[in-house]
Amino acid sequence: MAENIIRQADVIIAGAGIGGLTAALALHEHGINALVLESTREPKPLGVGINLQLQAADALTEMNLREQLENIAIPPQNLCI
């Protein structure tokens, strides 16, 4: 069964993090079958935040995910350089 799934994939993506899942979604929107492989059996909350740079937020906006992003995002209150 696993071999059939792998054979159907045009692209194999290692890692189901933000980058891997975004890549898989973008490929899917272009009709490309992607198989995402992840080493953990189930997601675990890490208790940390994920910082998205402007380019990442722009890419998610282009994928029509801005509303979902805004529903869960917490904008920074201040910036120290």
Side-chain angles (χ1 to χ4, degrees):
M1 171 111 168
E3 289 181 22
N4 289 338
I5 293 171
I6 292 172
R7 286 187 185 133
Q8 293 174 6
D10 297 319
V11 175
I12 297 175
I13 299 171
I18 291 174
L21 294 177
T22 302
L25 180 59
L27 291 167
H28 174 75
E29 289 180 351
H30 287 88
I32 299 170
N33 294 320
L35 173 64
V36 181
L37 302 177
E38 176 56 48
S39 62
T40 59
R41 293 191 182 271
E42 59 185 60
K44 300 177 211 171
L46 299 175
V48 298
I50 299 172
N51 181 30
L52 292 180
Q53 299 298 322
L54 180 59
Q55 294 86 348
D58 288 345
L60 292 172
T61 298
E62 287 180 25
M63 299 171 78
N64 297 318
L65 296 172
R66 182 170 185 106
E67 184 177 339
Q68 292 90 329
L69 179 61
E70 288 177 347
N71 288 338
I72 60 171
I74 301 171
Q77 299 301 311
N78 56 44
L79 177 64
C80 298
I81 299 177

